Structures are given as C-alpha cells and as structure tokens.
Amino acid sequence: MVQFQAQDEFLVDGQPRELVTELWSELTKIQSTEWIMKAKQRDLYLAMQGITFTLSGIERPLPVDLIPRIVEVAEWNHLEKGIKQRIKALELFLDDVYGKQQLFADRIVPKSLIVTSEHFHRSAHGIKPANGVRIHVSGIDIVRDQQGVLRVLEDNLRSPSGVSYVLENRRTMAHVVPELFNEYSIRSVDEYPERLLAALVAAAPDKKSHPNVVVLTPGVHNSAHFEHAFLARRMGVELVEGRDLYCKNNQIFMRTTKGSELVDVIYRRIDDDFLDPIHFKPDSVLGIPGVINAARSNNVAIANGIGNGVADDKALYPYVPKLIEYYLNEQPIIPNVDTFDLQLPDVMAFVLKNISDLVVKPVAGSGGYGITIGPRATKGELEEVAKEISSNPRNWIAQPLIALSTCPTVVEDGTIASRHIDFRPFAVNDGKEIWVLPGGLTRVALVAGNVVVNSSQGGGSKDTWVLAESETDVKSYPEIFEESLIDPLDHEVVPPTVGPDVLPITRMQQQEEQQQQTGVNNA
Amino acid sequence: MAWRLSVTHSTSFQYESEVSASFNEARMTPVNTPDQFVISHDLKVNPFSTVFSYKDYFGTEVKAFDVQTPHTYLEIVSQSLVETNIPALGNLNASWDDLQSDVLKNDLREYLSFTELVNPITPPFELRLQDTPLDAIHFLNKAMREQITYLPGSTNVYSPASEAWEKRAGVCQDFTHASLSILREAGIPARYVSGYLYNGSGEIGEQVIGESHSWVEAWVGHWLPFDPTNGNPVAEDHILVARGRDYHDVSPLKGIFSGGRSRKIEVTVSLTRIA
C-alpha cells in the first residue's frame, strides 16, 4: 500500500497558513451550535431559491459548505495561464482532427486511438465554425497532489456543468456568513453570464450584431436543468427544447407566438448523440433533424462544437502535454496526473501487477462512475477490473492514487473536519480571448476519506475565493441583486402543436434502400 | 480505351398517408478518381426541394435535402455521365508480415475493425493459409459464390454479415459485408465500395437495366478492387460512388420522415454506354 499524506489548503501542522489567518480566526470563533443553525439557514435559503441538483432521481439542495476555499493571486495567475494554454492547444487539436489531420501524418497521436473514440464523430468532419471556436465553454478539473502541485485531472469540453452553483454559492455565502468576507478582497464571479453571452454572440455566423441565441435543454428531467434555466434567464435568451426548433432549407427556426424566428446560435446542453436524428440516434426526439448540416453550411453555430468529446476522451488525456508542445511549441504550464497507457503491453503488465495501488478509470465514464480505487477495492473487485482492462485496454486508463488536498469543512454535527476537495474552473472562449472565470466550483467529498468528489456521487461544493491583486478588480462584497433585472420577454416559445410552419416531428421513421435489392419493402 | 456511361438512378417512395416532413441524404454522385472522370451529375427531388451538397469524411459527395410540404410520395432522380477506365493497379505484393506492421495497423485501423454490419463469421477456410495476401483475395473472390447464393429478398438493409452467412443467401451488400468480415479477421484491410454495375452487352446506345451495386477494396500493397458477388474483375463496367467501413457509411439514400404510415420503395437504375 502506498503511503501518502494529503496537503491541507488551510493548515500546516494544525496552524493556519498566512493566507487564511484572519478567516481561520473568524471560523474558530463560531460554535458548533451556531454552525448547525447557519446550515439550516443555508438550506432554507437554497430551497427558497430553488437551487437543486437531481441525485438518483431525487431533487435536493446542492450542499454548499459554509467554509470557502481561497486561491491566492500568484496561484490563480498560474492556473489561468495554464488553462488558457490548454484550451488553445485543444482547439487546434479539434480543428486538425475534423479537418486536415496533420497530427496523424506527423505521428503525434496514434490515428487508431482517435478513430476508435466513441466521441469521434465523422459527421463533424468538415464543419468549420464561423469564428473558429469549438470549445466555447470548458471546465478543467484540477487537483492538488501530496507534493502540493496542481495538476489537471481531466478536461470537460462537451457540456461541463456546475457554473450556476459557482454564482449561487457566492450569494448564499453572502446571506448566511457575511462576516467571513470582511478581511478579503475577492474577485467577482457575476460576470459569467455576460461573458458567455458575448462568446455566443461572437460565434454567430455572418458576424451579426444582434444574433438570436437560444439555450437548448433536454428538458426538466435532466439533472442540470436548473443550470440551463439559470443561464438562459441570466443571459436574457430563450430556453428551448428540441421540439421548439425546426430546420428548413438548412436554417434553424424557433416557433414563437409571433411566428417563426431565425436562430443563429444554439448553446446546447444535450449530448451529440441526441442532437440530430439524421446523423445520430434516429429515434431521438430531443434534437433537431437537419441541425448538423445547418451548422456545416454555417447557417447556425452550435456551442459547444459537435464531436468535442474526442478531445476529452480519457485515452487522449495522456497525450495532451504532447499536443501543447506540438501545436503551441510550449511546455505545459499545468502538468497532468501521470497516466498509464494500457495499450502498451509492458505498461499493462506493470499495471496488472500493481493494481491494488492504482486508480483505474473507464475512458468513457464521467461523474465518478466506474472508477476502481485500488487500495479501497476488495480482491474480487480487483480481479474483475483486471480482467476487464486486459480484454479491452482501449477503454481504460490507470493512474497512481493521488491524495487530493483537503480543506476544513463543516460537517453534520457542526464541527470542522478536513475533507478532500478538487476544483473545476470554467473558461469561455469568444474566439479572441479565452477568459477564465475567477472562481470556480470546488467540490468536496462530504464523506470522511472519500476521494470521489463529483456532485453526481453525493458530493458538495465550496465557494471559491480568488483573491484580487489590486483594488481595480475587487468587488470585495458580493452584490445581492434582483433576479428580475432582465426585461420581461416580449414573446413566449410555444409548443409545436400550434407551430405555424411545419407539423411537429413526433415520430421519425427511417428510410433507406438496400443495395441491389429493388422493389423490396424493407420496413 | 475509356467507356462513357450514362446512369439514371430513380428512387420513389409511396406513403399511405401524408408525410409532414422528410429529411434525407443521398450518396449517389460518382467520384473523380485517377480511373474515373465525372462529366456531369444532377440530382432532382420531387416535391421540389433545395439540395445542399457537401463532401463527407470518406470523400463522398453528399446531397442533403428536406421536404416540408405535406406529401404522399417522394421521388429522387440522380443522373450522371461518367468516363470509366480499367483501374490502374499498384504493386500488390504485400506479404503477410507486411500486414503486421504497426504503422499500417494504426493508419488503416478503420478498415481492420469489425462493425455492426461487418461482424465476425466463421468461414470453412483459412485465408492465412494462402501464400500471399493477394492469393488470399483471389481465393476469397471465388469462394464467396460457393458459400452464398445470390437471392434477393433473403436479407434486408440492416442485415449484418452473420445473418447472410447463416442463411447462406443474400445480395451484393451481403457478399460485400461477409467478404470484409473474413478479410479483416485475416488482417487484410478492406473497405466497402458502393456504385453501379453495367451488365449489358457493351453495345453503344443500348439502354440496360442495371443495379446499385457494391464491391470490395482490399489493401495488399495497394488497394485492389474486386467483386465477390460476380467474381468478375472491376473494370470499365463499374462506376465508383462511395467508400466506407460498411454500408452505413455509404448508403445511397438515408433519411427520416414523420407522419405517413407505410410505404413502397421503387428503385430503378438504368445505364447506357454512350461511347
């Protein structure tokens, strides 16, 4: 068994780091009975605001811990630079993979790795976004290892969720524990919706000055529906489902009470597989038939891009440092977590031998599902996973177990205990600049010792304070503003049954002719 | 001496009740290759629809169109005029060892993997016992017609290789899928080719009813086309339209529609040798 000691974000040998001295003295003044009361206030506030996350089918408030995480200026600058670098390289990678494929000729990444990725979509080949952006929004998961080094754990380039909690956590904290803010100058996170909208506007074809932007959601049953609605409301744009949109002559329209409106940009929060039944699942009713060819002819922009998943496939992850060198001629600013490529026979042998000390992850998994943590697994589980990875090396990666850093957290009985955390900062690319939201989602494992922190695994979150460098970028106290700043919408999206132009596509059927088989009904 | 062939490929769908919307992609445009030159091509859709063209991942010209006026029939007529030659073949003397090269296996991975339609089957022979991969192709080209009977109606558009193999019957799509399965199992990269076959006497001006056809290209040093359905060489009578991993990548017409109930499809392909 590997011995390791996690770093703590606040304490060294029980003493607060300089960065948190003031905060720590405030925190330790609060009695456990007070913490319990504050937690109740928090839950009430969250419930009133309707901030929920669906876990295993049950809606519940996303628990925000009342102790923030603090990121100092120098560390933030380092992270910001590293994230920008990474996104820049991954944008070039996607452009290459869905275009010229120069990287295969130059032997940077094995072609077989890309063409066997379930997220490599051949139908995205040749789609050239108007402003060149495919990764409009990304969430790069960062962990601190036992040496204190920040590392990228994984990239999320499809529909990373959680940013709404970043904004809501700040407001919740201001309501429940305003006294903690006193000694710190914290950068504001409220700019996010504006920045996102600006990036979506910049993505519009034909450089329109007032393009029609919509947020496409799979519907109220999706676990992130709260966020879809939140972002649409805060950007002042329509929240739509697939049936509210239709494609005609390679253009996308939205049905409204005032007739049909042309749509220029779709910020979609549905997976590629459901986006267009012509190219993907023919029985999908969540998407819009024809939308991929509309994007191909640059009549509509789709954010994030189709097929981005090939860049956040965990099997590609070990190659990202190499991609940064290849496309940018730079050394990676934030290192990866060491990763074993199981497709190499010697490496596989090593991993099988040391499996009880390693973490094994499915390349297609997300949300922490399917991960086996060697030291915590039973012998039977390890044998099972060893069998799986040897029969299908392409679908798995292995990594050394990282002792994620910890942070003091208020636990159920009102005491402060240390819990493992990770960090997901969000970046927005408008084609001219990659902007990293100064803050992010710090996820915390609420079970003692647990190192899987995903909210889909019952984790909580922390407000993340990025400290301000100078007075100019300070908004030391979060603004508490009213939801209703956005103008009441001048129209409503109507259900498709009264759509003026075409009948709803309720049930799609496939038609295909067999080769050399004429006159046969293939139904 | 090059041939000049005119092809008319008509597809019509009849719906029992009104269809409100239909979205389709046609892959019916012959491609330009060193052995084939497309003089003209035109695709018409009735009810009238604007056609949008693009080149897909495999280099095939795709014609996409939607029909959004209520309709009870849909007719697609694709007309091409193509000059064809006997394909020039490169050196075909790759050894079995050559096919084991990591570079080759990496670069041609897509043509070495099984797919939903090109799934594993168990032939009563072992291709790898042949002296060279080229011998294996010649052997397979003969063997397929001994294994499978050409029988329209025995399979459908979604049938995988294994289904035709069990029935020992199928159409060219099945001959092609089964051949691809056996080749890939033996480590020979192989791809699906879709196109047209002229099967007339060769007399200039005589219109013959032909068919939408499929055959195989296998990599044995260079790509070698062969036609396991007929066992004939691929020559001026074959017009190449699309290449892919299996039928799904090249289907001549693929679409979805909503509304109407059942339908009848009629497909006719007529070819005329002009010169």
Side-chain angles (χ1 to χ4, degrees), chain B residues 18-74:
Chain B
E18 241 171 34
V19 166
S20 52
S22 154
F23 297 84
N24 301 277
E25 284 197 345
R27 285 171 170 80
M28 299 178 175
T29 312
V31 286
N32 283 309
T33 71
D35 310 309
Q36 173 174 296
F37 177 67
V38 182
I39 299 164
S40 67
H41 172 78
D42 183 44
L43 185 118
K44 282 198 174 67
V45 180
N46 188 11
F48 178 79
S49 168
T50 321
V51 176
F52 161 69
S53 304
Y54 73 95
K55 254 200 174 45
D56 74 10
Y57 174 76
F58 296 98
T60 306
E61 183 82 15
V62 184
K63 306 278 184 188
F65 55 92
D66 53 76
V67 180
Q68 304 212 18
T69 45
H71 56 286
T72 53
Y73 69 95
L74 175 65

Side-chain angles (χ1 to χ4, degrees), chain A residues 28-272:
Chain A
T28 44
K29 275 185 218 154
I30 302 171
Q31 302 298 312
S32 60
T33 46
E34 283 177 79
W35 279 125
I36 291 171
M37 216 163 67
K38 283 178 189 294
K40 278 190 185 143
Q41 275 176 26
R42 172 200 62 196
D43 291 347
L44 197 65
Y45 177 77
L46 288 175
M48 275 163 49
Q49 300 287 312
I51 302 162
T52 58
F53 189 88
T54 311
L55 176 69
S56 308
I58 300 159
E59 274 201 21
R60 49 164 212 156
L62 180 84
V64 50
D65 179 53
L66 295 174
I67 300 178
R69 184 237 193 108
I70 300 186
V71 184
E72 59 173 330
V73 174
E75 187 152 82
W76 177 254
N77 290 345
H78 166 76
L79 276 178
E80 193 181 33
K81 256 168 62 190
I83 291 164
K84 287 181 181 189
Q85 178 194 52
R86 201 162 171 106
I87 301 303
K88 228 161 120 187
L90 291 169
E91 283 277 15
L92 291 167
F93 164 77
L94 284 171
D95 194 57
D96 197 4
V97 160
Y98 290 116
K100 287 186 198 144
Q101 301 198 330
Q102 188 59 41
L103 82 165
F104 299 144
D106 292 343
R107 307 273 168 211
I108 303 303
V109 175
K111 184 175 181 182
S112 60
L113 189 82
I114 302 301
V115 300
T116 54
S117 169
E118 65 170 305
H119 300 294
F120 173 58
H121 291 315
R122 290 165 180 82
S123 55
H125 176 85
I127 297 180
K128 259 317 225 183
N131 71 340
V133 177
R134 289 180 178 80
I135 312 173
H136 304 79
V137 178
S138 50
I140 306 299
D141 290 352
I142 307 274
V143 296
R144 190 192 303 281
D145 70 10
Q146 44 278 41
Q147 279 78 45
V149 178
L150 292 170
R151 294 176 181 274
V152 175
L153 184 67
E154 66 180 55
D155 304 292
N156 295 278
L157 312 174
R158 284 170 277 166
S159 290
S161 62
V163 75
S164 53
Y165 302 119
V166 176
L167 277 66
E168 292 293 352
N169 284 352
R170 184 64 54 84
R171 281 213 263 175
T172 307
M173 293 288 283
H175 275 272
V176 183
V177 282
E179 67 272 24
L180 299 185
F181 288 80
N182 290 342
E183 300 298 328
Y184 292 90
S185 301
I186 304 155
R187 293 182 63 183
S188 165
V189 290
D190 278 334
E191 229 181 308
Y192 184 84
E194 259 169 70
R195 290 280 191 162
L196 175 59
L197 183 60
L200 295 172
V201 166
D206 302 333
K207 296 200 167 62
K208 279 193 190 175
S209 53
H210 297 289
N212 202 357
V213 176
V214 298
V215 176
L216 175 63
T217 174
V220 292
H221 302 295
N222 185 271
S223 66
H225 186 262
F226 165 79
E227 178 159 304
H228 308 159
F230 174 92
L231 290 172
R233 192 171 69 236
R234 291 288 302 270
M235 291 193 288
V237 306
E238 292 289 356
L239 177 69
V240 300
E241 294 183 27
R243 61 200 162 111
D244 300 318
L245 304 179
Y246 67 92
C247 176
K248 193 171 187 176
N249 292 329
N250 253 356
Q251 290 181 309
I252 303 298
F253 297 90
M254 171 169 60
R255 301 179 173 93
T256 78
T257 47
K258 288 183 172 176
S260 287
E261 271 182 23
L262 191 69
V263 172
D264 302 292
V265 183
I266 302 173
Y267 180 49
R268 51 85 180 231
R269 295 295 295 262
I270 72 176
D271 291 347
D272 285 351

Side-chain angles (χ1 to χ4, degrees), chain B residues 5 29 33 44 52 57 59-60 71 89 96 106 115 129 133 136 151-152 162 181 184 197 204 217 226 237 247 266:
Chain B
L5 289 166
T29 312
T33 71
K44 282 198 174 67
F52 161 69
Y57 174 76
T60 306
H71 56 286
L89 303 175
W96 289 111
N106 179 50
T115 67
L129 294 179
L151 188 61
S162 59
S181 170
R184 291 178 191 176
L197 175 65
I204 309 281
E217 283 179 359
F226 70 97
D237 53 354
Y247 172 78
E266 262 175 58

